[in-house]
């Protein structure tokens, strides 16, 4: 008889954004006359930039002719895209990364969930708290997290690094030594970040303790401050302790197009095994590559026209972030983020739990956000709003919130 993976049964409830989707669907069905403004999920709303659309059209035309048709993509991704990534994302920042250390995929979410397959089940993972749920849930599915304490909202085999207003949302080195450390900066969900010097300290810590950092840099395009690193490889020694995840979803609006990449330096060797070679083997076995058309679109991101157009798009979303941040502050909320990231993180008012505030905001203002508790125990009492809506809806949402 077939036996199922019982680790799935340990997962508490459904995926956070699925739960939110069901709540919003039920509300809109019961209140069809209400216009609900969604500032919850981090999905973009602006159309893909013209330079990228033009590149996709050219690639589509190529697929219609035998001489320029493309089938399966190379395992690591097309050389034209990997070379563009090396040149613009790394070489331009003084980082030594080669094309054969870059693995093109259909997004950072998939890679962040799949990368744990390289590690033994008895490894201890450490996560910032609050945390992007995929990091923890994928390790639960693998059987690496121990037992779940429903009251505390924690897993027995996971090391939590609380990030709250009391420590300026900067994780402290854990008392227990982890094997794998998940870091995301600029951070989802808090919208806060750390300086390059603070990131260097984490690189030094990982190298000293033989730990590996999984560094999610999905929001680096939104960094506005000089002292914040765009890549962990700006730090000395990062090639011997860090894997980096990057996404085209938020910087280029590819949430519906799907493209990302993971960097695995060749220096990452543990127990005589190269993680670069292991990830290449996993990639080649389980993945057939992002489509040629999409990879050509990714290449256009780095063109002069693409860069200029995406700079305007990022500025559009960060204008929304400023509207949310300033509007909430004027209304007396305690607010964080919104400077180096398109997320605003706020303290819930009047001692409301984060889910209570979710219901209050939905029912009284018809605005959807994300409860902080969905990101981990230290997220309780906080709430996330995104800047990815239209400017008009963002302004309207803030007017509704101010009127409460």
């Amino acid at each position: 008889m077939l036996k199922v993976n019982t680790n799935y049964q340990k997962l508490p409830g459904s995926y956070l954004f699925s739960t939110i989707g069901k709540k919003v669907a039920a509300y809109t069905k019961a209140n069809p006359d209400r216009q609900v403004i969604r500032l919850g999920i981090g999905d973009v709303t602006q159309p893909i930039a013209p330079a990228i659309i033009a590149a996709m059209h050219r690639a589509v035309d190529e697929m219609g002719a035998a001489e320029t048709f493309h089938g399966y993509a190379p395992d690591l991704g097309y050389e034209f895209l990997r070379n563009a990534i090396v040149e613009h994302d790394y070489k331009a920042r003084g980082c030594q990364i080669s094309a054969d250390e870059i693995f093109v995929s259909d997004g950072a979410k998939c890679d962040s969930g799949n990368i744990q397959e390289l590690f033994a089940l008895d490894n201890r993972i450490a996560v910032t708290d609050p945390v992007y749920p995929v990091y923890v849930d994928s390790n639960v599915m693998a059987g690496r997290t121990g037992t779940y304490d429903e009251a505390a909202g924690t897993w027995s085999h996971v090391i939590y690094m609380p990030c709250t207003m009391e420590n300026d949302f900067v994780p402290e080195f854990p008392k227990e030594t982890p094997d794998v450390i998940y870091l995301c900066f600029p951070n989802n969900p808090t919208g806060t970040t750390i300086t390059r010097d603070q990131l260097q300290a984490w690189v030094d810590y990982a190298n000293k303790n033989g730990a590996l950092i999984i560094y999610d840099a999905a929001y680096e395009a939104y960094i506005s401050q000089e002292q914040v690193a765009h890549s962990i490889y700006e730090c000395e020694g990062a090639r011997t302790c860090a894997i980096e995840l990057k996404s085209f979803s938020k910087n280029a609006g590819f949430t519906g197009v799907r493209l990302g990449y993971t960097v695995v330096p060749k220096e990452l060797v543990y127990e005589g095994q190269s993680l670069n070679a292991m990830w290449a083997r996993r990639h080649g076995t389980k993945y057939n590559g992002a489509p040629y058309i999409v990879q050509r679109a990714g290449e256009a991101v780095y063109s002069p026209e693409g860069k200029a157009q995406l700079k305007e798009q990022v500025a559009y979303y960060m204008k929304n972030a400023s509207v949310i941040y300033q509007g909430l502050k004027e209304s007396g909320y305690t607010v964080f983020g919104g400077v180096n990231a398109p997320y605003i993180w706020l303290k819930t008012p009047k001692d409301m739990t984060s889910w209570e505030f979710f219901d209050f905001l939905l029912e009284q203002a018809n605005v959807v956000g994300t409860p902080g508790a969905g990101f981990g125990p230290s997220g309780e009492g906080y709430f996330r709003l995104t800047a990815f809506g239209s400017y008009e809806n963002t302004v309207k949402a803030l007017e509704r919130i101010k009127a409460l």
Side-chain angles (χ1 to χ4, degrees):
M1 179 183 289
L2 173 73
K3 294 182 179 179
V4 300
N5 181 351
T6 57
N7 292 312
Y8 278 69
Q9 297 170 23
K10 299 176 183 178
L11 289 164
S14 61
Y15 183 57
L16 171 62
F17 295 105
S18 299
T19 302
I20 291 172
K22 291 174 183 175
K23 276 180 166 281
V24 175
Y27 180 82
T28 54
K29 184 178 180 180
N31 302 274
D33 58 323
R34 305 284 180 87
Q35 183 210 9
V36 174
I37 299 176
R38 292 170 169 81
L39 300 180
I41 192 169
D43 196 2
V44 295
T45 54
Q46 294 301 293
I48 292 173
I52 298 170
I53 290 294
M56 293 176 79
H57 279 298
R58 289 192 297 270
V60 168
D61 289 340
E62 288 182 52
M63 297 296 279
E67 299 79 14
T68 52
F69 173 79
H70 291 268
Y72 289 125
D75 284 354
L76 273 65
Y78 284 100
E79 193 170 322
F80 61 77
L81 177 56
R82 290 185 290 117
N83 286 339
I85 290 168
V86 167
E87 188 68 28
H88 297 277
D89 286 350
Y90 294 103
K91 189 175 179 181
R93 299 191 182 280
C95 305
Q96 300 302 311
I97 298 295
S98 60
D100 57 359
E101 294 173 320
I102 292 168
F103 297 80
V104 176
S105 71
D106 58 358
K109 179 179 181 179
C110 294
D111 286 352
S112 66
N114 293 329
I115 197 72
Q116 53 79 27
E117 292 184 24
L118 303 188
F119 316 130
L121 292 183
D122 58 355
N123 279 314
R124 294 290 301 277
I125 69 165
V127 297
T128 55
D129 173 31
V131 64
Y132 180 47
V134 173
Y135 307 155
V136 175
D137 287 359
S138 58
N139 279 283
V140 174
M141 294 171 180
R144 192 177 286 110
T145 56
T147 57
Y148 185 65
D149 183 334
E150 190 170 353
T154 57
W155 294 90
S156 62
H157 209 58
V158 174
I159 299 169
Y160 292 87
M161 302 179 291
C163 295
T164 64
M165 58 186 295
E166 285 74 26
N167 62 4
D168 295 321
F169 301 97
V170 176
E172 299 169 5
F173 299 133
K175 294 177 181 177
E176 300 175 88
T177 303
D179 301 297
V180 181
I181 304 164
Y182 286 83
L183 296 178
C184 174
F185 292 108
N187 185 257
N188 176 19
T190 67
T192 59
T193 193
I194 59 177
T195 67
R196 186 178 290 102
D197 289 343
Q198 288 171 321
L199 183 57
Q200 180 67 62
W202 275 101
V203 169
D204 295 342
Y205 172 87
N207 277 320
K208 179 182 177 181
N209 290 282
L212 176 75
I213 296 173
I214 307 296
Y215 192 73
D216 189 342
Y219 301 94
E220 64 84 18
Y222 293 86
I223 293 171
S224 62
Q225 295 178 316
E226 276 293 320
Q227 70 269 31
V228 179
H230 288 254
S231 167
I232 196 169
Y233 302 116
E234 294 177 39
C235 297
E236 185 178 353
R239 287 184 57 87
T240 57
C241 70
I243 288 174
E244 184 162 273
L245 311 175
K246 285 283 190 76
S247 169
F248 288 80
S249 288
K250 305 309 194 306
N251 68 323
F254 278 27
T255 54
V257 176
R258 308 308 307 149
L259 188 66
Y261 66 87
T262 292
V263 182
V264 187
K266 294 174 188 172
E267 283 91 331
L268 295 177
V269 178
Y270 296 84
E271 297 184 313
Q273 301 297 313
S274 163
L275 295 190
N276 180 283
M278 290 174 67
W279 188 240
R281 184 69 171 87
R282 191 262 172 209
H283 221 54
T285 300
K286 293 191 173 185
Y287 186 61
N288 273 333
Y292 172 75
I293 297 165
V294 174
Q295 293 198 46
R296 279 296 185 193
E299 180 189 31
V301 166
Y302 300 103
S303 68
E305 299 83 4
K307 283 185 173 182
Q309 291 162 9
L310 294 182
K311 186 176 181 180
E312 291 180 5
Q313 205 166 82
V314 166
Y316 178 94
Y317 291 129
M318 290 310 290
K319 182 181 179 181
N320 289 350
S322 179
V323 167
I324 298 171
Y325 185 94
Q326 295 300 330
L328 290 173
K329 286 206 78 169
E330 290 169 6
S331 298
Y333 288 88
T334 303
V335 196
F336 310 92
V339 176
N340 295 295
Y343 293 123
I344 289 80
W345 190 244
L346 61 134
K347 283 286 290 180
T348 56
K350 302 176 182 177
D351 294 323
M352 287 186 184
T353 68
S354 56
W355 278 107
E356 286 172 347
F357 188 64
F358 173 89
D359 292 335
F360 173 75
L361 212 58
L362 176 61
E363 293 167 8
Q364 301 301 318
N366 304 147
V367 173
V368 178
T370 308
F375 297 102
S378 291
E380 182 55 85
Y382 294 91
F383 199 79
R384 192 190 78 173
L385 293 173
T386 85
F388 287 122
S390 70
Y391 177 74
E392 294 75 18
N393 277 346
T394 300
V395 171
K396 190 181 296 185
L398 262 293
E399 289 173 349
R400 293 180 184 179
I401 294 172
K402 285 182 176 181
L404 294 174

